[in-house]
Amino acid sequence: MLARRSSRLDQERQAVEQQVEDAFKLQNSYSEASNVTLLRRQSSAYLPATNDSLRVAKQVIQDVYSLQELYERQHVVENVACGIAMIGVLLVILDNEYVVNNKSKLALRIANSVLTKILLSFICWRFALERRILIRRNVLPPNVTIFRMPKQLMQLVLELAVCFIIVPPGTDGSFEVKEWKFYTDDGSCDLPFVVHDGSCYLEYSYPFEVLGLFSLLRLYMIPRVIRNLSSFASYHTSYLGTLHRVNTMTPLFAIKCFLQSHPFRLLLSVFIGSLVVTSYALAIVESPVNPNLAPLSNAVWLVALTMATVGYGDIVPVTTAGQVILVFGGMVNGILLVAALSAALFALLRLDERDKRFIHSLRVQHYDKELKEACARTIQTSWRRFHDFEPGSRSYQKRKA
């Protein structure tokens, strides 16, 4: 794919260079054939088409197309990395929910480890491409070290840390968790709590494959793919954005533009995705001690109620991890998404200019119809009254008598 894109860009670059070279040759031929042009060449207001100018023009064209090639390579690398990350998330879900055989679990974890190494290499490749792009755009000086790029370096470290967390192959067993909940005066606690030293604790254990839930953090790559699939991920758009001091290559800019063009679709998709991911994570971490949240349907019910800022209190998370997931995935995310989704829904139901013009035309037609009917009734009434007062008519004779 990268080879095809590179060959296409090389062909376009060669065609543009040939056009520029032909234009320079044509300008030189005109200047040699005309004395007036020769005089203009001798004046200070005219710059002749020399070989140096042609070389500079070709260098500029090469720089432009090389930068465009770097952008396209970066987009391909980001899309492939997101695909690998989503495959890893799918393998983690299969390992946690559906696969029971130890050999199958081992095969899934080996495949996930290999994919994780490939993903880390793609992340480093993307960082190298971003560095070259910033140098090409004169944002960074040439031959800059990575330590002179603190923002990009911090982003690289965070991405590597997020994508590195996996369950190694051959890891079996479980780990114990003991959480302090509250003090007790009478030395007794209700289930599932246990008493230790005058306090109530929550003791439970997780299998090691639960740590694979950290792979859900790889979903941060999806906004990049949305940006790459939009019409804003191009060199020309980036150049125009630079002129207006707008960074069009960030995923946030693409999301804001999508919110302006298709707000309801985007917010509804994000809402459903957030609901499913939060419910799945909540059901996994609460299943050892909270059987009410072990079914995924109950977790979806609780997260949906929390997102809607409605709490019945029939089901609550018990573990600290479940409470944290519900706070960030349900309350914070839900409040923002529900508010934005409500605004987008009302905006969707609002009449746009075409609807207003159509309704106005219908009202005008209805008004014209009523006006014609009223005019017809007026004419009929006038005719009847005129006929009644006409001499010789029965009404006139009765009125005269």
Side-chain angles (χ1 to χ4, degrees):
M1 184 182 297
L2 290 176
R4 289 198 300 268
R5 290 175 181 266
S6 180
S7 62
R8 177 179 59 81
L9 290 176
D10 289 339
Q11 293 176 0
E12 292 181 1
R13 178 179 56 80
Q14 292 174 3
V16 173
E17 288 181 355
Q18 186 64 37
Q19 292 177 3
V20 172
E21 188 174 355
D22 294 340
F24 270 85
K25 290 181 180 179
L26 184 62
Q27 186 176 355
N28 285 329
S29 63
Y30 286 160
S31 62
E32 293 175 357
S34 176
N35 293 328
V36 178
T37 308
L38 183 60
L39 293 175
R40 290 180 179 176
R41 288 179 58 184
Q42 294 176 355
S43 64
S44 59
Y46 181 78
L47 294 177
T50 61
N51 293 329
D52 294 336
S53 301
L54 180 60
R55 185 170 58 254
V56 170
K58 287 186 177 181
Q59 183 64 36
V60 171
I61 293 172
Q62 291 178 1
D63 292 341
V64 169
Y65 275 92
S66 62
L67 184 58
Q68 185 175 356
E69 183 180 358
L70 289 176
Y71 273 122
E72 293 192 0
R73 285 186 179 180
Q74 185 185 26
H75 297 162
V76 173
V77 169
E78 289 176 349
N79 295 339
V80 174
C82 182
I84 295 174
M86 295 305 104
I87 294 175
V89 172
L90 180 61
L91 293 179
V92 169
I93 294 175
L94 292 176
D95 188 12
N96 279 278
E97 294 294 327
Y98 301 103
V99 178
V100 181
N101 190 5
N102 293 329
K103 292 184 179 180
S104 300
K105 284 181 174 291
L106 180 61
L108 288 177
R109 293 179 184 179
I110 292 175
N112 194 14
S113 300
V114 174
L115 290 177
T116 301
K117 293 180 180 179
I118 298 174
L119 177 61
L120 296 179
S121 63
F122 269 90
I123 292 175
C124 295
W125 190 6
R126 178 191 174 276
F127 174 76
L129 290 174
E130 185 177 5
R131 174 179 173 273
R132 293 177 60 185
I133 288 173
L134 293 177
I135 292 175
R136 286 285 185 178
R137 293 178 57 186
N138 295 324
V139 178
L140 295 176
N143 301 324
V144 64
T145 61
I146 60 175
F147 300 103
R148 299 288 299 274
M149 306 165 55
K151 182 179 179 181
Q152 290 78 12
L153 183 60
M154 181 63 68
Q155 181 180 356
L156 174 64
V157 172
L158 288 177
E159 290 189 24
L160 292 177
V162 167
C163 298
F164 183 75
I165 302 175
I166 59 171
V167 180
T171 304
D172 296 325
S174 60
F175 59 94
E176 301 292 333
V177 179
K178 184 178 180 180
E179 297 180 7
W180 178 88
K181 290 301 180 180
F182 52 87
Y183 292 105
T184 177
D185 296 331
D186 54 359
S188 62
C189 297
D190 297 332
L191 293 177
F193 304 106
V194 294
V195 180
H196 286 291
D197 299 330
S199 299
C200 293
Y201 289 85
L202 185 64
E203 295 181 353
Y204 54 94
S205 61
Y206 283 130
F208 280 107
E209 54 261 23
V210 174
L211 298 177
L213 289 177
F214 285 100
S215 63
L216 295 176
L217 297 175
R218 299 179 181 180
L219 297 176
Y220 77 91
M221 296 184 180
I222 294 179
R224 291 179 180 173
V225 178
I226 295 176
R227 188 270 316 272
N228 296 336
L229 297 179
S230 65
S231 59
F232 307 104
S234 64
Y235 167 74
H236 304 287
T237 308
S238 176
Y239 177 73
L240 293 176
T242 303
L243 295 178
H244 294 82
R245 296 182 180 180
V246 177
N247 189 4
T248 61
M249 301 307 296
T250 59
L252 182 60
F253 178 77
I255 291 175
K256 289 192 291 186
C257 293
F258 272 110
L259 284 175
Q260 293 293 327
S261 58
H262 306 287
F264 187 75
R265 298 178 187 176
L266 180 61
L267 290 174
L268 184 61
S269 302
V270 175
F271 178 79
I272 295 176
S274 177
L275 176 64
V276 172
V277 172
T278 306
S279 302
Y280 174 73
L282 184 63
I284 292 296
V285 299
E286 288 287 324
S287 57
V289 292
N290 196 351
N292 293 327
L293 284 176
L296 185 60
S297 58
N298 291 348
V300 172
W301 165 257
L302 176 60
V303 175
L305 290 181
T306 307
M307 284 185 170
T309 65
V310 178
Y312 292 127
D314 53 347
I315 304 175
V316 293
V318 178
T319 63
T320 303
Q323 293 170 356
V324 171
I325 291 174
L326 192 61
V327 166
F328 287 97
M331 294 180 64
V332 178
N333 201 7
I335 290 173
L336 296 177
L337 287 178
V338 169
L341 190 60
S342 301
L345 180 60
F346 283 111
L348 182 65
L349 297 177
R350 187 175 54 190
L351 297 176
D352 56 6
E353 294 298 328
R354 292 181 298 178
D355 298 335
K356 291 179 180 179
R357 288 196 299 267
F358 176 70
I359 293 176
H360 178 70
S361 63
L362 289 180
R363 289 177 178 175
V364 169
Q365 291 180 2
H366 183 68
Y367 174 76
D368 292 341
K369 183 179 179 181
E370 290 184 350
L371 183 61
K372 291 178 182 179
E373 292 177 355
C375 292
R377 289 194 298 269
T378 303
I379 293 173
Q380 292 174 359
T381 303
S382 301
W383 173 254
R384 292 193 188 99
R385 293 182 66 84
F386 173 76
H387 185 69
D388 291 342
F389 286 98
E390 184 180 5
S393 62
R394 294 181 180 179
S395 301
Y396 180 79
Q397 292 177 358
K398 289 180 180 180
R399 190 176 293 106
K400 188 175 181 181

